Amino acid sequence: AQSVAQPEDQVNVAEGNPLTVKCTYSVSGNPYLFWYVQYPNRGLQFLLKYITGDNLVKGSYGFEAEFNKSQTSFHLKKPSALVSDSALYFCAGRSNNAGNMLTFGGGTRLMVKP
Amino acid sequence: DTAVSQTPKYLVTQMGNDKSIKCEQNLGHDTMYWYKQDSKKFLKIMFSYNNKELIINETVPNRFSPKSPDKAHLNLHINSLELGDSAVYFCASSQDLTGNQPQHFGDGTRLSIL
């Protein structure tokens, strides 16, 4: 069985400060990991992914994530938060074995205050 | 150009009715999905289709019947609607089943059962 956990329901950060949204995973084999963002009344939008290679992955809107195999984590980061980053963030993962579907974490609401 | 489009955006109906949600993608993708997002924003896979063939049915009641007339369309028909079916239903697509490409989501259909 595979699972993805986002331990924080909400993260609050001041505009201009760095932000981190946490994600840990449990999948068999080599993991494929993704971050998505959801704005109100919209579908999920892809931010970035880790498949293989460099552990630091850069994505859209200045976001990046670091794959840490020993800690089974894939935390999302941004050096300087914007108010417009306020949204719901989902981490997702799957095994590279055929037939596995993507499993989503429970989501973390990011609130960036001016 | 909307990549993944769902209709209707809102659906309000009585318990016991039958309703359908339509989904179309113009990305040329082989694989399409239906997800259910509950009131706590938890996202769960319902079905996956690849080139019109059912791949995954994640223990969804048989009142839910997906239909894929071609690989660009995946519709969801729901019989005998129940209060617990109230949720936001998202359609998504991906290039193929390998899992290393991101999924593209529609903006959701908000289903409310009275």
Side-chain angles (χ1 to χ4, degrees):
Chain A
Q2 54 187 36
S3 64
V4 174
Q6 295 179 243
E8 303 153 316
D9 288 338
Q10 182 160 318
V11 169
N12 297 314
V13 65
E15 187 175 31
N17 282 1
L19 69 87
T20 298
V21 182
K22 295 180 180 177
C23 172
T24 58
Y25 66 89
S26 172
V27 303
S28 59
N30 293 320
Y32 293 163
L33 299 165
F34 300 81
W35 275 102
Y36 289 84
V37 60
Q38 184 180 25
Y39 296 101
N41 299 316
R42 299 298 303 275
L44 278 67
Q45 296 176 33
F46 169 72
L47 278 179
L48 51 80
K49 66 178 181 180
Y50 172 83
I51 303 299
T52 186
D54 196 351
N55 288 346
L56 185 63
V57 179
K58 293 190 184 295
S60 307
Y61 312 122
F63 283 94
E64 58 188 31
E66 185 166 11
F67 172 67
N68 188 318
K69 188 171 184 178
S70 62
Q71 297 185 4
T72 61
S73 68
F74 189 56
H75 301 332
L76 181 70
K77 300 183 180 188
K78 187 173 181 180
S80 179
L82 299 172
V83 172
S84 57
D85 292 330
S86 298
L88 188 57
Y89 289 80
F90 287 95
C91 182
R94 57 157 283 174
S95 160
N96 64 343
N97 296 328
N100 283 290
M101 288 292 110
L102 203 57
T103 298
F104 284 83
T108 298
R109 187 165 300 282
L110 174 67
M111 298 287 290
V112 182
K113 300 194 175 168
Chain B
D1 284 344
T2 304
V4 181
S5 59
Q6 300 177 223
T7 54
K9 194 173 177 67
Y10 299 96
L11 192 48
V12 181
T13 190
Q14 303 270 1
M15 203 165 50
N17 283 353
D18 303 337
K19 290 293 178 186
S20 292
I21 307 172
K22 295 186 176 181
C23 178
E24 176 182 4
Q25 54 97 2
N26 63 6
L27 296 166
H29 288 169
D30 287 343
T31 310
M32 296 185 72
Y33 312 82
W34 277 108
Y35 287 90
K36 180 180 180 180
Q37 187 174 44
D38 63 22
S39 57
K40 295 185 178 180
K41 305 300 183 184
F42 184 71
L43 202 64
K44 187 173 168 59
I45 182 77
M46 298 174 69
F47 299 102
S48 164
Y49 268 70
N50 189 62
N51 280 320
K52 305 191 300 176
E53 299 294 325
L54 177 66
I55 303 297
I56 292 284
N57 175 344
E58 284 288 321
T59 61
V60 177
N62 58 14
R63 298 182 295 105
F64 290 79
S65 52
K67 286 207 169 39
S68 183
D70 55 62
K71 74 173 193 177
H73 295 83
L74 182 61
N75 304 322
L76 184 64
H77 187 76
I78 315 170
N79 289 327
S80 304
L81 280 158
E82 300 177 357
L83 289 175
D85 297 332
S86 294
V88 182
Y89 292 85
F90 287 100
C91 178
S93 72
S94 64
Q95 188 170 329
D96 51 38
L97 274 178
T98 60
N100 59 12
Q101 296 301 320
Q103 295 183 16
H104 297 251
F105 285 77
D107 281 339
T109 296
R110 284 144 188 83
L111 175 62
S112 298
I113 309 301
L114 304 176

